[in-house]
Amino acid sequence: MTDMRALLRFPGERRIAVTDCPVPALLPGTIMVRTEISVISTGTERQQADETKASLIRKAWQRPDLVALTIEKFRRDGALATINAVKGRLGRPMATGYASCGIVVAVAQDVTEFDIGQRVACAGLGHASHAEYNIVPRNLACSVPDAVTSEKATFATLYAIALHAVRQGELVIGHRVAVIGCGLIGQLVTQTAIAAGAIVTAIEPVPERRDMAMASGASNSYAEIRNAPADQFDAVLICTSGNETGTIIEAAARLCRDRGIIVCVGDITPKASRNILYRKEITIRQVRSYGPGRYDPNYEQLGQDYPIGHARWTVKRNMQAALALLKSGKLDPTPLVSQQIDLEDAADFLGSPSMMATVIRYQNVDNRPKAYKPAVQINTASDSTIRIGLIGAGNYMVSTLLPRLRQQEDTTIKAVVSQSCLSALAIRRQFPDATAFAAAEDILASPDIDTVFIATRHDSHADLACKALNAGKHVWLEKPLCVSREQLEALGKVAKQNSPQIFMVGHNRRFTPMAAMLKKHLPKGKIQFRYQVRPAPIPTDHWLNRQGQGGRTIGEISHFIDLISALAETELIRLQCDWIEREAGDSIWHLTFADGSRGEVSYLRPARKNTPKEVLEVSAPGFAAVMNDWRKLLINGTTILRKPLLTSPDKGHDDAIAAFLDTIKSGIHNPRIPGIDAEIHLMDQILGAASGDNQYGPA
C-alpha cells in the first residue's frame, strides 16, 4: 500500500531514491504537515549523500565512534549478534532534508497554537524531510505570514542558522565582518549580517558566488583569504568545510582585529597554533545548527521551551525572526534558487553539484482530512499459520527478535509499525508481503493478524498490551511490563477480561540452556543466589533517561529477578530495593523466598570497560555454581557448558520465542511461561520495592 513518497537514503545499498512509505503517525506535541515545498541544503545534504554512497571501509573511516561500538558489541555478544545489528543499522532507510514549508492537516490534542489549514515553516532532520507528509514537533514549526511565499518561507530554517551565526559573532551596526565561503549558507549569512548593519567582505574562489554576495550588499570580495586585509575585522564567519591542518583558522585569525571573534559555521576543525590566537586573544565559537534547543530532546521532542530570560533566541525564535525579516524584505533567498524540481527527480540532484539552492515542489499530493487513517490491506494467511504483527521496529526488534522469527516455521510477518515509518519500511523490504504502518491501531484492528510482538519504548508497553488483548491478539511484550502503578492497574483489569490469549513478557533468561542445566543440578533446600549485573553505559540524552520511561533499572531489573525466581521454584514473598544512587540506577535488590532461599541482584555501573555484564553465583551446602556472562557455567569447579569466544552467548531468545509460538499453536499451557497474572504480581512487587512501599520492605 502506498501512502506517500519520500526521498530516502539507503546506507546498506549505497543509494538514494524516492520511495513509497507510510504516512507517519501523529504524536503528542506534534502536527502533521502536508509539504508544499522543501529546499536541498547543498553542503550538508551533499555530504550526507557522499556518506550514504561510501563503501563500508570509508564509512568506518568516517565514523570511528561507531566502529568502536561495533567492536565492543562483538566482544560482548559475538559475531552473529553483531552482524545482525550492523545489518539492521545499514538496512534502515534514513530521511533526507531538514527545511520545508507546508499546510497543517492534523494537530495533536495537546497542541493549541496551530490550526488545520495553517501554513507553517518546518525545521529538523526527520521532521522537515523531503517527503509528502511530515510529523513536526511544536517547537520546530512556525506560522508563516501571509505576505511571505512558501518558497521563501522554506528557507526559514537555513536563515535560522545564519541568525545564530550572526549572534555568535556578536555583530552590531558598523561591525566589519569577513564571510569565508559563499555557498548557500555563506550567502544567507552575508544577507543576515548586512541586515544586522554589518559591513561585509566576501571571500570565495568562485566568481559567480562572489558576484551574488556583492549583489546582496557585500562591500568587497576576494578570491583568496590571503588577499583580504589583515587586522581589520571584528568577526570572521567561516562558512566552508574541511580544515584538517588548521590553516583556515590561522588565516581567519590574521584577518581579525585584536580580541576579534571567529565563528565556525561550516564543518571546521577549530585548531590553530596558539601564538596567533594568544597574541590577539581571539575568541573561537561554534554554531550549533539553528540555535539553543537544537539537539535537546526536551526542547525538540517534548516541546519544553526555554524561558526567554534564559535563552532569548531559541530555534523557534530564530525561525520567527527570519520569517519577520523575509516579510519586511530585508532577507530574500529568491536569487539563490538555481533550480526547481519535482520530488520524483530529487534523487538525481541530492548528490550533484549545484550553484546554490535546489527547491523541491510537491505537485500531486492530495489533501488528507484531519482524521486520515490508511486502510488496512493485508493478505490473509492459512489457518495453520501464525500471522504476526510487529509493533516497534527499533534495534532490539531488528537485531534480536526478527532474525529468530524469520527461522520459525508456520509463521508469517504480516505487518510492522514504527513511529518514524522508516524502520518499518526497512522490515517491509525484507518481507515483501508485509505491510508497513505508522500507527499500532492499524495492526490491532486487522482480523488477519492474531499475534503481536511489542518492542517499543517502555512507557507505551502497558497501553499497547491492553489494546492488543482487547483486540483478541496473542501478545509477546518486551520487558518491562509497565513503568507505573496506574499502568499496572489498567493491565490487571484487562487481563481479567481476556483470559484465552497467550501473554508472555520477554524474560528470555529463564529459557537459556545454562539456566536449564543449572536448575537440573540444584540441590534441595535453601539456596543463596547472588546476581551481579553491570549494564553498559548509555548516553545521557538516551530516551531511557527521559522522565516517564521509568528509568533503566525498572526497565531491566525484572529480567534478573525472574531468572532467580524460575531457578528457586518457590514463591517470592519479599522484595526489597536499596538505592545507592537512584538517578544512575545503581541499586541492590534483596529477594526472600517461601522456602527460606535468598537472592541478591546488584545492578551497578561497571567499574571498567571489560567488566562482564552478568555473573550469577549460586551457593548451597556442598554446592557452588558460577555463570559468567552466559558464556561459561561452572558447577562445583567443573565447566559444564562453555560458549566459544567468537560465538554469540545464548540468552534464551530462540527457546523463548519457540515456546511462545508453540503454545499458540497447541493451545497447551507451557509451565515455563508464567502468564499474565504472575507477571503482574512480579511487576507489582518491583514497583513497590522501588518506591519504598512497606509491603515489600523499606527502600
Side-chain angles (χ1 to χ4, degrees), residues 227-250:
N227 296 333
D231 308 322
Q232 297 293 312
F233 297 97
D234 299 282
V236 177
L237 279 57
I238 305 176
C239 301
T240 186
S241 61
N243 182 41
E244 293 303 320
T245 62
T247 54
I248 293 180
I249 295 291
E250 293 187 359

Side-chain angles (χ1 to χ4, degrees), residues 641-664:
L641 287 176
R642 182 196 295 271
K643 292 288 292 184
L645 182 61
L646 298 182
T647 60
S648 299
D650 190 340
K651 297 183 180 180
H653 296 100
D654 297 272
D655 201 17
I657 290 173
F660 174 65
L661 297 176
D662 288 344
T663 301
I664 294 173

Side-chain angles (χ1 to χ4, degrees), residues 133-151:
Y133 289 88
N134 281 298
I135 300 300
V136 186
R138 67 200 321 161
N139 280 344
L140 296 180
C142 294
S143 176
V144 177
D146 292 339
V148 179
T149 66
S150 294
E151 181 175 296

Side-chain angles (χ1 to χ4, degrees), residues 7 9 16 38-52 95-99 125 128-130 158 349-352 358 360:
L7 180 62
R9 297 189 286 138
I16 302 166
S38 62
V39 60
I40 294 177
S41 176
T42 50
T44 300
E45 297 194 55
R46 191 180 302 160
Q47 179 182 349
Q48 291 175 345
D50 290 342
E51 291 174 355
T52 300
T96 62
Y98 61 92
L125 183 63
S129 306
H130 301 311
L158 304 181
F349 284 85
L350 191 61
S352 63
T358 297
I360 301 175

Side-chain angles (χ1 to χ4, degrees), residues 98-352:
Y98 61 92
S100 67
C101 180
I103 305 297
V104 177
V105 296
V107 180
Q109 291 183 350
D110 60 340
V111 175
T112 58
E113 64 267 38
F114 295 100
D115 298 311
I116 303 298
Q118 187 174 4
R119 201 158 48 104
V120 290
C122 308
L125 183 63
H127 304 301
S129 306
H130 301 311
E132 291 176 338
Y133 289 88
N134 281 298
I135 300 300
V136 186
R138 67 200 321 161
N139 280 344
L140 296 180
C142 294
S143 176
V144 177
D146 292 339
V148 179
T149 66
S150 294
E151 181 175 296
K152 290 182 179 180
T154 198
F155 283 84
T157 301
L158 304 181
Y159 274 121
I161 299 173
L163 279 165
H164 188 42
V166 166
R167 301 189 203 287
Q168 288 292 78
E170 298 182 5
L171 303 190
V172 297
I173 295 173
H175 265 190
R176 293 174 60 84
V177 178
V179 176
I180 300 176
C182 293
L184 177 57
I185 295 299
Q187 298 288 343
L188 300 178
V189 167
T190 296
Q191 286 188 17
T192 306
I194 292 170
I199 302 168
V200 176
T201 293
I203 302 174
E204 164 62 48
V206 180
E208 293 83 358
R209 293 181 176 181
R210 293 201 303 274
D211 292 342
M212 283 185 177
M214 294 295 290
S216 294
S219 59
N220 292 292
S221 66
Y222 297 93
E224 298 181 22
I225 302 176
R226 63 184 180 182
N227 296 333
D231 308 322
Q232 297 293 312
F233 297 97
D234 299 282
V236 177
L237 279 57
I238 305 176
C239 301
T240 186
S241 61
N243 182 41
E244 293 303 320
T245 62
T247 54
I248 293 180
I249 295 291
E250 293 187 359
R254 185 186 68 83
L255 302 183
C256 284
R257 63 160 169 81
D258 189 55
R259 293 181 176 83
I261 298 174
I262 296 174
V263 181
C264 298
V265 186
D267 185 9
I268 294 297
T269 303
K271 63 180 182 180
S273 60
R274 177 179 180 272
N275 189 45
I276 189 169
L277 302 177
Y278 170 79
R279 283 189 293 107
K280 290 187 177 181
E281 206 169 54
I282 298 294
T283 298
I284 299 179
R285 291 179 176 166
Q286 294 282 346
V287 171
R288 187 170 59 189
S289 202
Y290 332 128
R294 185 70 175 112
Y295 305 116
D296 179 355
N298 292 322
Y299 180 89
E300 292 190 339
Q301 306 299 330
L302 303 182
Q304 298 175 5
D305 197 7
Y306 296 163
I308 197 167
H310 170 70
R312 175 62 182 91
W313 295 107
T314 58
V315 170
K316 186 162 186 168
R317 292 174 195 141
N318 275 333
M319 291 178 67
Q320 290 169 335
L323 290 166
L325 290 167
L326 286 165
K327 180 181 178 181
S328 70
K330 293 181 179 179
L331 299 178
D332 184 9
T334 306
L336 307 178
V337 178
S338 55
Q339 53 210 348
Q340 298 183 7
I341 61 173
D342 292 332
L343 177 62
E344 293 300 324
D345 301 321
D348 296 329
F349 284 85
L350 191 61
S352 63

